[in-house]
Amino acid sequence: MRARKRQTIIIAVLFLFVPLTLLCIFTYYPIIRGIILSFSDYNMFTKKTTWVGLRNYKEIFQNKYFYEALRNIFKYLIVVPLIQFTAILTAVLVNQDIPGIKFFRTLFYVPVITGSVIVSMTWRWIYNVDGLLNSFLLSTGVIKEPIMWLTDERFALYSVMFVTFWRGIGYYMVIYLAGLQNIPSELYEAARIDGANARQILARITLPLLRPTMLFCFTISSLAALKVFEEVFLMTQGGSGTTTMMYLIYDYAFVRFKFGLSTATSVVFAGILIVFTAINFKFFGPKR
């Protein structure tokens, strides 16, 4: 019996050892290395690393672009409730048992599977001075002069945010749709027999039972909004007041070759992400 127990323990340890080793190599080591590098000045050409203590962190908090990026990612969070509300509403609508509903589900999901480069390039063309959007607004008399959607600081960030919103609806709609289809139909039938209207069913049954799905969606949506990079990189290159934290980290590392400053910014940004994740769990987590 003891030999069998010992054999089971050995097999379990061996099975745990491989993934744990990979986790250490590809996750924990880069984190630890990054934290150490954040206190250093690393030159990628000479491979020389110089310990500078807290200098990188001081430089971060004295840099106006850090505060611009911080302000922009907070603004970007506006996208989160808009996406979630629209995705829930869309999921409820496409959850109806009507002919051709699969076509509408597919239509909403197409932007998700379209490559971010294609999407960004398409929207750059739409946002051009002589692009589709300005042409439409001018022809309908809504505006009298073309708007610089991606070069005017008043509009650039919100133009990029709209692309994120447009792409995100289909993705979250599918998750909410899965959540809706897991709600037992008997609950709805019982509510209708008791005389509940559509608003009461939504408020008393659908939304409460979607709470775990909402927790998941709000959490990953918040993190995605805070970490936005592709749209900013491809549409504005961080110009016109659209710098975000991820773009700033990229800019420090691969444009200015300040790897220490880049990793220090990453560490600060990781702290922000942890705080927001905790907030999401606080609001949408299970009630004790």
Side-chain angles (χ1 to χ4, degrees):
M1 189 68 182
R2 286 183 178 178
R4 188 175 179 180
K5 187 177 180 181
R6 193 182 304 116
Q7 187 181 19
T8 304
I9 292 172
I10 292 171
I11 292 172
V13 170
L14 286 175
F15 270 100
L16 289 172
F17 181 74
V18 175
L20 189 61
T21 305
L22 294 174
L23 195 66
C24 290
I25 293 172
F26 294 107
T27 301
Y28 296 130
Y29 173 72
I31 291 173
I32 295 169
R33 184 81 177 94
I35 292 172
I36 294 171
L37 196 60
S38 70
F39 295 100
S40 310
D41 186 12
Y42 173 71
N43 189 318
M44 67 175 293
F45 300 107
T46 61
K47 307 294 182 187
K48 185 179 178 182
T49 303
T50 308
W51 182 263
V52 295
L54 293 173
R55 194 183 74 185
N56 287 329
Y57 288 94
K58 289 179 182 176
E59 190 171 341
I60 287 172
F61 293 111
Q62 291 172 352
N63 190 334
K64 67 175 184 179
Y65 292 109
F66 171 76
Y67 294 102
E68 179 185 311
L70 199 62
R71 189 167 57 248
N72 284 343
I73 62 170
F74 283 132
K75 286 182 182 176
Y76 226 96
L77 286 171
I78 297 170
V79 170
V80 177
L82 294 176
I83 285 184
Q84 299 309 316
F85 175 76
T86 311
I88 291 173
L89 186 63
T90 310
V92 171
L93 292 175
V94 300
N95 194 37
Q96 308 302 315
D97 187 17
I98 57 175
I101 197 64
K102 289 183 180 177
F103 170 75
F104 290 102
R105 291 176 186 171
T106 307
L107 210 61
F108 281 112
Y109 198 69
V110 166
V112 180
I113 58 175
T114 307
S116 57
V117 175
I118 296 172
V119 169
S120 300
M121 292 299 105
T122 303
W123 276 97
R124 276 189 67 170
W125 171 72
I126 292 171
Y127 283 140
N128 269 341
V129 178
D130 54 353
L132 187 65
L133 183 57
N134 274 334
S135 300
F136 174 75
L137 294 176
L138 286 169
S139 64
T140 54
V142 177
I143 57 174
K144 295 180 179 178
E145 294 180 355
I147 296 174
M148 309 292 184
W149 295 104
L150 295 178
T151 53
D152 189 325
E153 290 192 6
R154 293 174 299 170
F155 304 107
L157 184 66
Y158 298 105
S159 301
V160 177
M161 286 166 64
F162 181 79
V163 177
T164 303
F165 168 77
W166 178 78
R167 285 193 70 200
I169 291 173
Y171 177 75
Y172 295 105
M173 178 205 74
V174 170
I175 299 174
Y176 283 120
L177 186 60
L180 286 172
Q181 293 183 350
N182 278 330
I183 299 175
S185 58
E186 293 82 4
L187 293 177
Y188 292 114
E189 291 169 8
R192 290 190 191 99
I193 291 171
D194 289 341
N197 56 34
R199 187 178 59 81
Q200 289 170 327
I201 290 174
L202 180 69
R204 301 289 176 85
I205 297 177
T206 305
L207 293 181
L209 293 180
L210 271 183
R211 195 182 182 90
T213 310
M214 291 170 67
L215 168 65
F216 174 74
C217 288
F218 268 87
T219 302
I220 61 172
S221 181
S222 300
L223 296 179
L226 293 170
K227 294 192 297 181
V228 65
F229 173 76
E230 292 173 341
E231 291 91 336
V232 173
F233 177 74
L234 292 167
M235 296 179 71
T236 64
Q237 292 281 308
S240 309
T242 59
T243 301
T244 59
M245 292 297 285
M246 287 298 287
Y247 187 85
L248 191 63
I249 291 167
Y250 160 81
D251 187 66
Y252 281 147
F254 301 108
V255 177
R256 305 183 196 187
F257 301 111
K258 294 183 175 180
F259 287 94
L261 196 56
S262 177
T263 51
T265 309
S266 302
V267 171
V268 174
F269 186 41
I272 295 171
L273 294 181
I274 291 170
V275 169
F276 268 89
T277 304
I279 291 173
N280 273 313
F281 272 86
K282 177 71 177 176
F283 277 97
F284 298 106
K287 300 293 182 185
R288 296 182 183 281

